[in-house]
Amino acid sequence: MSTASLARVLCAAALAFAAAPAAATAAQPRIITSDVRLFYQVYDAAGGHPTAEQLQHDYLDRGSDGLHTFARLRNITGKRIAAEIAKDPALYANARRCMAILPRGRERLMVAMRKLAELYPAAKFPPVTVAVSRGKPVGVGGPVTGVMIGLEALCGVTYFDPDMEDRFVHVLLHEYLHVQQSPALAEDDHPTVLESSLIEGAAEFMTELIAGGVAEPGIRSEVKGHETEIETAFVADEDKTDLRKWLYNGSMTKAGDLGYWVGYRIVKAYYERASDKRQAIHDILGMTDPKAFLARSGWHPGIVLDRK
């Protein structure tokens, strides 16, 4: 994603691991938040200005296995965190407001995981690690490594759900749903706009189905009144491999990512059209042929779908 989204390559990495065995008991993933407390111990002891060496040795090196994996995958170092704190100190100071919602958010996420297991018995449940990172990305992971979330990035995005507890649940569940998707979608080094939009749209639709909201609700206010126009333009671009117009083009303050919304609409059309909803969920998460899925969905620009 952009700063506010999973990068396409990270999503692909998550999917590429999807054939691996789960790392936790079904519907009971470990949700690790100890790294957040450790970070703020170091941060407070240094008066909000920890050095690169303190962040490296007292935080990253002493953190959980999930944090170590996060650091390896996203090149998170004490030096890079220190640079980001110096550049945007408010990002780390404001992230404290999210700490208070972690216990309740964890409980709600576990409820959502149980519902995922009911709807999709083949679901995998690797661990979730919530840590403090270098300002981006919001999330990354896969069934072997688990899902890792940067709390400061999660809290800092202005167009995610204003309710921090809802935001926590919806974003983490969205990333967890990438873990469930077919590894075949990760094998294309040059995915089309349609393919990437369906990957993200499927995660958004399933997040809403399970938990009642989406990871990026801010997109909906951007498209209101322009739905048919946007979707008509999408059709013209759906086979292109330049994703910048549609995906991973947001920032901390601007949503972008219109492909998320169009992909969500295509997936929702598929689900509404299906007579067997449980099979539809298998089709959505097991999708391997985006063009065939689109054809079966019955979607077209401006289609009217049921409102929640």
Side-chain angles (χ1 to χ4, degrees):
M1 285 186 194
S2 61
T3 299
S5 316
L6 244 190
R8 197 278 305 171
V9 65
L10 297 180
C11 177
L15 303 182
F17 284 115
T25 305
Q28 296 182 18
R30 291 182 296 121
I31 301 176
I32 302 156
T33 60
S34 57
D35 295 303
V36 174
R37 294 192 298 274
L38 178 59
F39 172 84
Y40 279 106
Q41 287 173 7
V42 175
Y43 179 89
D44 289 342
H49 301 284
T51 66
E53 292 76 15
Q54 289 171 325
L55 289 165
Q56 185 65 51
H57 297 300
D58 298 338
Y59 171 55
L60 292 173
D61 292 350
R62 291 177 54 202
S64 70
D65 290 343
L67 176 57
H68 295 161
T69 301
F70 198 14
R72 175 174 55 81
L73 290 175
R74 296 301 291 143
N75 192 22
I76 300 166
T77 64
K79 183 177 181 179
R80 297 191 80 176
I81 298 175
E84 190 63 28
I85 293 173
K87 175 184 172 184
D88 190 1
L91 183 67
Y92 294 85
N94 292 340
R96 287 183 180 279
R97 63 190 173 132
C98 288
M99 292 179 66
I101 61 90
L102 290 178
R104 176 59 183 156
R106 183 184 184 281
E107 292 175 8
R108 287 183 54 193
L109 187 61
M110 293 298 289
V111 172
M113 296 297 186
R114 288 194 288 272
K115 186 170 182 180
L116 171 61
E118 293 170 4
L119 294 175
Y120 189 63
K124 305 167 185 68
F125 291 95
V128 173
T129 301
V130 182
V132 178
S133 178
R134 56 180 178 84
K136 59 182 179 181
V138 171
V140 61
V144 172
T145 61
V147 172
M148 288 140 282
I149 297 292
L151 184 68
E152 81 295 344
L154 176 66
C155 294
V157 178
T158 61
Y159 54 85
F160 283 178
D161 200 306
D163 184 307
M164 288 297 166
E165 194 176 295
D166 286 345
R167 175 185 299 212
F168 177 87
V169 174
H170 298 158
V171 172
L172 265 73
L173 185 56
H174 173 106
E175 303 303 347
Y176 222 84
L177 284 156
H178 282 315
V179 170
Q180 316 306 328
Q181 292 173 312
S182 170
L185 294 180
E187 295 171 1
D188 187 355
D189 291 332
H190 302 285
T192 64
V193 168
L194 174 64
E195 180 178 340
S196 295
S197 295
L198 284 176
I199 288 171
E200 299 294 355
E204 288 287 74
F205 173 77
M206 289 300 302
T207 296
E208 183 177 73
L209 186 68
I210 292 168
V214 296
E216 295 201 20
I219 298 172
R220 297 183 177 188
S221 62
E222 291 195 1
V223 304
K224 190 173 182 179
H226 304 281
E227 293 87 348
T228 302
E229 173 190 346
I230 291 169
E231 293 183 336
T232 300
F234 179 89
V235 171
D237 290 346
E238 67 183 47
D239 294 326
K240 295 179 179 179
T241 55
D242 184 347
L243 308 180
R244 289 174 294 179
K245 179 179 176 181
W246 294 99
L247 295 130
Y248 318 125
N249 55 2
S251 67
M252 295 292 280
T253 58
K254 181 181 181 299
D257 290 334
L258 292 177
Y260 278 50
W261 178 77
V262 180
Y264 161 90
R265 295 253 300 157
I266 295 169
V267 173
K268 186 170 184 176
Y270 187 99
Y271 184 82
E272 288 187 2
R273 193 180 195 189
S275 57
D276 185 337
K277 302 304 186 188
R278 189 168 291 272
Q279 181 60 48
I281 290 171
H282 277 264
D283 295 344
I284 290 165
L285 294 176
M287 182 196 322
T288 58
D289 186 338
K291 278 288 193 182
F293 185 92
L294 173 62
R296 293 195 302 269
S297 72
W299 173 89
H300 57 80
I303 187 173
V304 177
L305 301 172
D306 288 344
R307 295 181 180 274
K308 284 186 68 66

